Amino acid sequence: MASPAPSHQEVLRTLIKSHEALLRAGEIQPWVLPGSGLGVILLVLYLIIPHGNSKLFRYAKYPAFAICTYLLFVTIRDTRAIGLAHGYGIGLIYSWFIIWGAVLVLVEDPQRDYKRIEFREAYQNEQDKEINGILSSGASTISDDGSSSSSELEIRRRNSVKEAQGNGHIHFSNGTAEMTPEHSRSPSPQKGGHFVWQPFPKDSFAHRFEWVLDVFFNFQGTGWNWLISSLPPPPPSVQHELEEPYTPPPEPPRHRRKSRTGNIAHPTTRALISSSIVTSVVCYLACDIIFNYIVPADAYFYTGDPLAKATWLPESINSNPILLRCYRLLMLDIIIYFFLTLVFNQPPLFFAGLLPLISSSARKATRSEPWMHPTAFGSFSMILDRGLAGYWGGWWHQSFRFSISAPSIHIIRKLGWSRRSVAAQSLQSIIAFSLTGFIHACATYTDISPTTQPLNPFLFFIFQAFGMIFQQTIIRTTRTFAPSIYNKPTRSMKRFLNLIYTAGWLYLTAPFLADDFGKAALWLFSPLPVSVVRWRKGEGFWCWGGKWVYWYTGQHWWQSGLAFW
């Protein structure tokens, strides 16, 4: 007879004791500031320094990136922290920093190509325009004949413009709006100013620092000229202000707030705040029930043992491995969806809700605009219409999309392939999911649980790439060699087949990731500070225990500082 599964409290106590024992033995280091942030600090400093056309910086980027990557890898190797999702967050964040750093330093040229939308008061004179860095001389563009510069950023921007134009959005000429000193704008009556494209600032260190931080921590390019194509663009009224010459529109144009993938941008700040509050409350209550009732009732979610039983389910499901796996995989999707939706709804509450109440300048900041905070998840119809590719490329959140796509686009451009070719799309899928697998493998590696297997998350994401390639191959083959069969099913039948294929592929491959989440005891980490469910169970109202922050003295100066538990 199999021994009963340990309770979630026993597993959590064992992990904490093991973590503290390893700390005392010096086998791991806590996450400390500033030492654990040196790699990120150096990356940001490199991006802040104006490079211009200097050959020194052109060649210095390789050793600079190598040093920063080494420091980031050292943190992944040695550092653990219970407070960062049992250490899972360390590997997740730092591995993404490595990829994003490679994109910003080696693949892209932010100082030359990147521009963000900023709000400006009416200019006093022409000198103010040039001081503010509005002149964008030297920026790479794409000519009308299709010839391109060395920057793949412009290729992506033009493609995203074509896609958005297909959705009925008004966009900039050639995908960009250049600022020139010959034209001036009339201030917007609503805010007493207007929006402009701001390239790499040249006026002050503070402005450059803030601009670079926005680049570094902006995942999806909202408010930038590298906005990912799955998100809705700024409203036509803002795009109109970014064009040259600027003339006030006779009446506010209508804005299609939904992107091709179903991501929605709210039309007003009131609508954004109201939606964020309601969504946050719903997700908070859902997470409270999931993390404090459903997860403790199923040892699979904190041990990764597929043979464990869920005590709150009937025996008919527990005794059926197919139904039990379907339930757990569906619940895993629900857990991640509610948790991430809760997280993604906090920035709009802060930048568009709280901050403008305490700062008059924040009311005019671009970050307070409702179109800067579209929904993170797309429409479920993307899965029905595109299958597995729609699941990952449309419905699921696209937080890492730009960073994991840029390397493959750069390689495809160097090879001279068409981005719409089968080879290019396959290569892009494999590279993008390999990088995603690398991120989650590093996250598993830094988890405090000793039973995790970092290879399994990597395999899961690689299988998603091959699953997409396999499905598209079937569709292309059928359409080419058996058009009668391809055209025979109705749209409803095709959508049903897409859903079945996606669900079937995830059923076969998702345990590589789901089991490892359980072994990492990731779902024992409560994202909520207070819990009504815990209070009702007599386990206390407060969820976040531990030391939080304390001073740690290591063997070297860079290992000492404010440590996070």
Side-chain angles (χ1 to χ4, degrees), residues 345-412:
N345 273 274
Q346 302 320 297
L349 291 177
F350 178 76
F351 289 107
L354 178 62
L355 204 57
L357 293 178
I358 60 179
S359 172
S360 58
S361 60
R363 298 182 199 129
K364 298 182 178 181
T366 308
R367 189 60 63 181
S368 68
E369 294 292 323
W371 45 268
M372 287 288 292
H373 305 279
T375 54
F377 286 85
S379 171
F380 189 80
S381 64
M382 293 297 297
I383 304 175
L384 303 177
D385 293 331
R386 296 178 55 203
L388 194 62
Y391 180 96
W392 292 112
W395 177 70
W396 198 249
H397 74 93
Q398 305 295 298
S399 298
F400 300 137
R401 179 168 183 158
F402 187 87
S403 58
I404 63 177
S405 298
S408 60
I409 293 174
H410 179 75
I411 294 173
I412 291 168

Side-chain angles (χ1 to χ4, degrees), residues 5-323:
S7 68
H8 66 286
Q9 294 101 331
E10 292 173 342
V11 172
L12 191 56
R13 283 195 295 266
T14 300
L15 290 176
I16 292 175
K17 289 180 181 179
S18 173
H19 174 74
E20 293 178 343
L22 292 173
L23 277 177
R24 288 192 298 268
E27 296 185 28
I28 59 174
Q29 299 293 324
W31 193 82
V32 299
L33 288 178
S36 298
L38 287 178
V40 177
I41 293 171
L42 291 179
L43 269 176
V44 171
L45 288 177
Y46 175 83
L47 294 171
I48 288 175
I49 301 172
H51 300 168
N53 296 319
S54 170
K55 290 185 178 180
L56 174 63
F57 281 104
R58 189 184 309 166
Y59 295 108
K61 66 181 181 181
Y62 299 104
F65 174 71
I67 294 172
C68 294
T69 301
Y70 171 75
L71 294 174
L72 293 170
F73 265 122
V74 168
T75 302
I76 293 174
R77 183 192 66 190
D78 299 337
T79 306
R80 303 292 182 268
I82 292 178
L84 295 175
H86 297 173
Y88 195 90
I90 293 177
L92 188 79
I93 296 170
Y94 277 73
S95 57
W96 180 80
F97 281 153
I98 292 172
I99 296 172
W100 191 221
V103 171
L104 295 178
V105 176
L106 303 181
V107 178
E108 303 280 359
D109 190 346
Q111 295 189 11
R112 183 190 66 188
D113 298 327
Y114 286 11
K115 304 182 186 76
R116 74 168 177 175
I117 301 173
E118 293 187 3
F119 181 81
R120 287 286 186 274
E121 304 286 352
Y123 293 113
Q124 300 298 321
N125 50 53
E126 297 297 323
Q127 184 179 4
D128 288 345
K129 295 181 182 180
E130 190 163 355
I131 290 175
N132 280 326
I134 301 301
L135 299 180
S136 55
S137 59
S140 58
T141 57
I142 297 179
S143 61
D144 293 333
D145 62 1
S147 61
S148 62
S149 69
S150 60
S151 174
E152 288 77 19
L153 176 69
E154 298 295 340
I155 302 293
R156 283 199 305 277
R157 188 183 307 134
R158 183 155 187 170
N159 288 337
S160 65
V161 167
K162 290 179 179 178
E163 292 173 356
Q165 284 174 338
N167 276 341
H169 295 298
I170 301 174
H171 268 268
F172 330 114
S173 176
N174 287 334
T176 183
E178 298 295 336
M179 295 296 300
T180 58
E182 288 81 8
H183 303 287
S184 61
R185 291 180 170 83
S186 301
S188 171
Q190 288 81 9
K191 290 193 173 186
H194 49 260
F195 293 103
V196 299
W197 280 120
Q198 173 64 63
F200 182 71
K202 301 176 183 178
D203 53 342
S204 68
F205 176 83
H207 193 185
R208 283 200 303 275
F209 180 69
E210 192 266 337
W211 191 91
V212 168
L213 282 185
D214 197 5
V215 170
F216 200 79
F217 293 103
N218 193 313
F219 289 82
Q220 299 174 315
T222 49
W224 289 81
N225 62 345
W226 47 275
L227 174 73
I228 61 176
S229 60
S230 61
L231 296 183
S237 58
V238 175
Q239 296 183 34
H240 193 73
E241 290 187 31
L242 297 172
E243 294 174 352
E244 291 290 357
Y246 171 71
T247 54
E251 60 183 32
R254 296 184 63 185
H255 179 213
R256 291 189 63 181
R257 299 180 292 109
K258 184 181 291 187
S259 70
R260 61 181 178 83
T261 57
N263 299 77
I264 299 173
H266 295 282
T268 64
T269 302
R270 180 186 293 272
L272 171 66
I273 298 301
S274 300
S275 175
S276 295
I277 290 176
V278 172
T279 303
S280 295
V281 171
V282 171
C283 291
Y284 197 100
L285 294 176
C287 286
D288 194 6
I289 295 172
I290 290 171
F291 282 90
N292 295 294
Y293 179 72
I294 294 178
V295 167
D298 188 350
Y300 171 78
F301 289 116
Y302 56 85
T303 64
D305 181 8
L307 299 179
K309 291 187 177 183
T311 57
W312 77 293
L313 291 178
E315 184 61 26
S316 58
I317 296 180
N318 276 313
S319 60
N320 189 316
I322 296 177
L323 290 180

Side-chain angles (χ1 to χ4, degrees), residues 314-333:
E315 184 61 26
S316 58
I317 296 180
N318 276 313
S319 60
N320 189 316
I322 296 177
L323 290 180
L324 190 60
R325 179 189 283 194
C326 288
Y327 153 74
R328 284 167 171 168
L329 296 182
L330 179 61
M331 183 56 62
L332 179 64
D333 247 7

Side-chain angles (χ1 to χ4, degrees), residues 413-536:
R413 177 63 185 168
K414 291 295 183 182
L415 293 174
W417 293 357
S418 168
R419 283 192 59 192
R420 296 187 179 276
S421 66
V422 175
Q425 291 179 354
S426 300
L427 179 63
Q428 189 166 352
S429 296
I430 292 173
I431 292 178
F433 279 101
S434 295
L435 294 176
T436 307
F438 167 74
I439 291 173
H440 288 81
C442 288
T444 298
Y445 177 79
T446 58
D447 191 90
I448 62 175
S449 173
T451 61
T452 56
Q453 297 175 306
L455 179 62
N456 285 354
F458 182 82
L459 291 175
F460 166 74
F461 285 103
I462 284 294
F463 285 143
Q464 305 317 299
F466 289 119
M468 291 166 55
I469 294 171
F470 181 61
Q471 184 181 18
Q472 293 304 312
T473 301
I474 294 175
I475 293 173
R476 279 192 295 265
T477 303
T478 306
R479 185 170 53 205
T480 302
F481 298 101
S484 59
I485 298 177
Y486 176 81
N487 296 319
K488 186 176 182 179
T490 63
R491 182 171 182 265
S492 299
M493 179 57 68
K494 289 181 179 179
R495 298 184 107 195
F496 176 74
L497 292 175
N498 278 329
L499 180 62
I500 292 299
Y501 180 88
T502 303
W505 192 266
L506 291 173
Y507 176 86
L508 294 174
T509 61
F512 283 101
L513 182 67
D515 292 358
D516 212 64
F517 280 158
K519 292 175 182 177
L522 184 61
W523 310 122
L524 292 184
F525 170 78
S526 175
L528 313 176
V530 295
S531 166
V532 176
V533 174
R534 277 173 56 95
W535 174 69
R536 293 282 296 176

